[in-house]
């Protein structure tokens, strides 16, 4: 069988720390150990539509392990989305296939979240050789225990919560911090526990406003004047209001106490990757190259019981990995007195 000669690599969806570590881990051994030509594709799948390519050389990969963001750039281009299906009057998936073939690629490495893995799977059904790497701060990709970007985001959010404790104590206030996570509350759960959040609200666990208020008032009766509330952006809330603002207003109204909201936002996706994310991104990238060399396409690298393994993209593309109400971390948090907005049985 012919040896692998040329591969393309792209980063798509929300950016996060660790993307460059993953690019480096795929491309350096490809170039240095296998003599493979590597084509960087700019701005996710958009770069394959627009033929926007970046030749990746050993020099270009130097010094990027610790660099946040992605040297390739990213976008949320979804080529299979019906409402914008054409590119210069040709169906986008066909344009991508044509440009993949014109480049003479043996494989396309797709680094991204749920939307990216879904697109990669659909491209594989058109005959394009793809390999997926799981990336998202939300950590909600099915089939893997870890997506790089998540650990860095949890560290940033935890540091922010630590800082909110001091100002909450000084003013005897309720401080509400909103972290990212539209559908999955992994960042809120992990940073809430690590940061000593008194109340943690997740999209997966419905809450009752009066239970939150009662919990805070009972703390005030015990002369504990400050409370830290960690909420995921995707919890139930009025559509025109951020989760943090809504919960802060609810608390001010029901408890008649000073409450302030902080939306951490994109800070969770910026800066250098944590050591863990650098390591997992390196493990995933080198494992992805092994799959390419062995021509095991149509798969995503994954982590199970701390072992790097693979899962067919077909298994990944239509599911989310959400926090289950009986998750062991929720049990631990409840044991130390954390409130999840529900009536305790
Ligand atoms: O998917 C990761 C994520 O950061 C989510 O947590 C967040 O809700 C979303 O991306 C923000 O999307 P955008 O970067 O397009 O504003």
């Amino acid at each position: 069988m012919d040896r692998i000669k040329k591969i393309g690599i792209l980063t798509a969806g929300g950016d996060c720390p660790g993307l460059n570590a993953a690019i480096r881990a795929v491309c350096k051994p490809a170039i240095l150990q296998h003599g493979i030509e590597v084509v960087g594709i700019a701005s996710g799948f958009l770069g394959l539509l627009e033929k926007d390519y970046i030749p990746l050389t050993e020099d270009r990969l130097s010094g990027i392990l610790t660099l946040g963001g992605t040297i390739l750039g990213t976008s949320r281009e979804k080529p299979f989305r019906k409402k914008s299906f054409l590119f210069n009057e040709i169906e986008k998936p066909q344009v991508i296939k044509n440009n993949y073939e014109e480049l003479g690629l043996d494989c396309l490495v797709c680094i991204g979240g749920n939307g990216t893995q879904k697109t990669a799977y659909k491209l594989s059904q058109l005959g394009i050789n793809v390999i997926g790497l799981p990336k998202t701060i939300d950590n909600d990709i099915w089939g893997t225990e870890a997506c790089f970007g998540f650990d860095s985001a949890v560290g940033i959010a935890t540091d922010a919560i630590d800082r909110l404790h001091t100002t909450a104590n000084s003013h005897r206030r309720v401080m509400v911090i909103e972290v990212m996570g539209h559908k999955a509350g992994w960042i809120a759960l992990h940073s809430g526990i690590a940061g000593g959040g008194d109340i943690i609200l997740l999209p997966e666990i419905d809450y009752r406003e009066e239970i939150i208020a009662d919990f805070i008032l009972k703390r005030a009766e015990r002369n504990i004047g400050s409370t830290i509330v960690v909420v995921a952006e995707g919890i139930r809330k009025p559509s025109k209001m951020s989760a943090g603002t809504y919960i802060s207003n609810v608390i001010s109204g029901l408890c008649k106490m000073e409450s302030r909201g902080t939306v951490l936002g994109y800070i969770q996706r910026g800066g250098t990757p944590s050591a863990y994310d650098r390591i997992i991104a390196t493990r995933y990238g080198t494992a992805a190259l092994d799959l390419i060399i062995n021509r095991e396409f149509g798969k995503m690298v994954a982590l199970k019981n701390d072992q790097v393994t693979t899962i067919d993209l077909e298994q990944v593309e239509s599911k989310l990995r959400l926090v289950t109400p009986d998750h062991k971390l929720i049990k631990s948090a409840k044991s130390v007195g954390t409130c999840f907005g529900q009536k305790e049985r």
Side-chain angles (χ1 to χ4, degrees), residues 207-214 236 246-247 250-251 254 341:
Y207 64 90
R208 284 172 47 203
E209 286 82 346
E210 60 275 16
I211 289 177
I212 293 167
D214 185 50
R236 169 179 54 79
Y246 173 62
I247 295 299
V250 162
I251 291 165
L254 293 180

Side-chain angles (χ1 to χ4, degrees), residues 76 136-138 180-182 233 266 269:
R76 290 191 182 276
T136 173
I137 65 165
D138 293 346
M180 283 186 159
H182 259 310
E233 63 182 324
Y266 296 90
R269 294 200 338 218

Side-chain angles (χ1 to χ4, degrees), residues 41-146:
I41 293 156
S43 308
F45 295 102
L46 188 60
L48 262 178
L49 292 170
E50 297 179 338
K51 298 190 183 182
D52 189 353
Y53 309 138
I54 306 161
L56 290 178
T57 60
E58 187 187 357
D59 288 352
R60 187 67 193 83
L61 296 167
S62 171
I64 69 169
L65 169 68
T66 61
L67 192 61
T70 163
I71 60 170
L72 298 178
T74 185
S75 74
R76 290 191 182 276
E77 170 61 45
K78 291 182 170 56
F80 289 89
R81 184 164 43 191
K82 288 297 177 219
K83 69 180 180 185
S84 59
F85 202 47
L86 299 181
F87 183 84
N88 297 338
E89 279 80 54
I90 303 174
E91 292 186 359
K92 286 180 176 179
Q94 190 56 51
V95 173
I96 286 176
K97 188 163 196 291
N98 295 345
N99 292 339
Y100 170 90
E101 289 169 350
E102 184 185 77
L103 276 168
L105 298 179
D106 294 305
C107 179
L108 178 65
V109 178
C110 302
I111 307 177
N114 289 291
T116 305
Q117 304 309 329
K118 187 177 202 141
T119 300
Y121 170 64
K122 289 181 174 178
L123 290 174
S124 71
Q125 291 185 301
L126 299 181
I128 293 176
N129 295 329
V130 297
I131 292 290
L133 276 78
K135 166 281 309 173
T136 173
I137 65 165
D138 293 346
N139 210 37
D140 60 357
I141 298 178
W142 182 264
T144 181
E145 291 162 2

Side-chain angles (χ1 to χ4, degrees), residues 159-233:
D159 179 68
I161 295 167
D162 288 352
R163 293 170 188 276
L164 289 178
H165 276 281
T166 59
T167 181
N169 291 334
S170 303
H171 289 264
R172 298 177 64 75
R173 268 175 180 163
V174 180
M175 298 304 277
V176 180
I177 180 170
E178 176 188 313
V179 297
M180 283 186 159
H182 259 310
K183 295 193 170 59
W186 294 110
I187 297 175
L189 180 57
H190 282 252
S191 64
I193 292 171
D198 303 298
I199 299 171
I200 300 174
L201 301 181
L202 310 176
E204 300 94 331
I205 298 180
D206 199 9
Y207 64 90
R208 284 172 47 203
E209 286 82 346
E210 60 275 16
I211 289 177
I212 293 167
D214 185 50
F215 182 85
I216 292 169
L217 289 170
K218 282 198 167 63
R219 288 170 57 84
E221 285 165 14
R222 297 184 351 245
N223 198 28
I224 305 172
S226 67
T227 295
I228 300 291
V229 186
V230 183
V231 307
E233 63 182 324

Side-chain angles (χ1 to χ4, degrees), residues 257-317:
M257 292 170 74
E258 274 199 340
S259 173
R260 294 289 188 274
T262 300
V263 177
L264 206 46
Y266 296 90
I267 290 169
Q268 296 161 95
R269 294 200 338 218
T272 186
S274 67
Y276 179 83
D277 276 343
R278 298 177 195 185
I279 293 166
I280 194 68
T282 300
R283 293 176 73 186
Y284 282 166
T286 50
L289 182 62
D290 290 344
L291 291 173
I292 295 167
I293 299 302
N294 296 325
R295 293 182 174 273
E296 291 182 56
F297 302 123
K299 296 176 182 300
M300 183 186 80
V301 295
L303 192 70
K304 281 225 168 99
N305 303 320
D306 198 39
Q307 297 302 310
V308 176
T309 180
T310 66
I311 181 167
D312 290 342
L313 280 168
E314 187 176 18
Q315 303 298 318
V316 173
E317 57 94 21

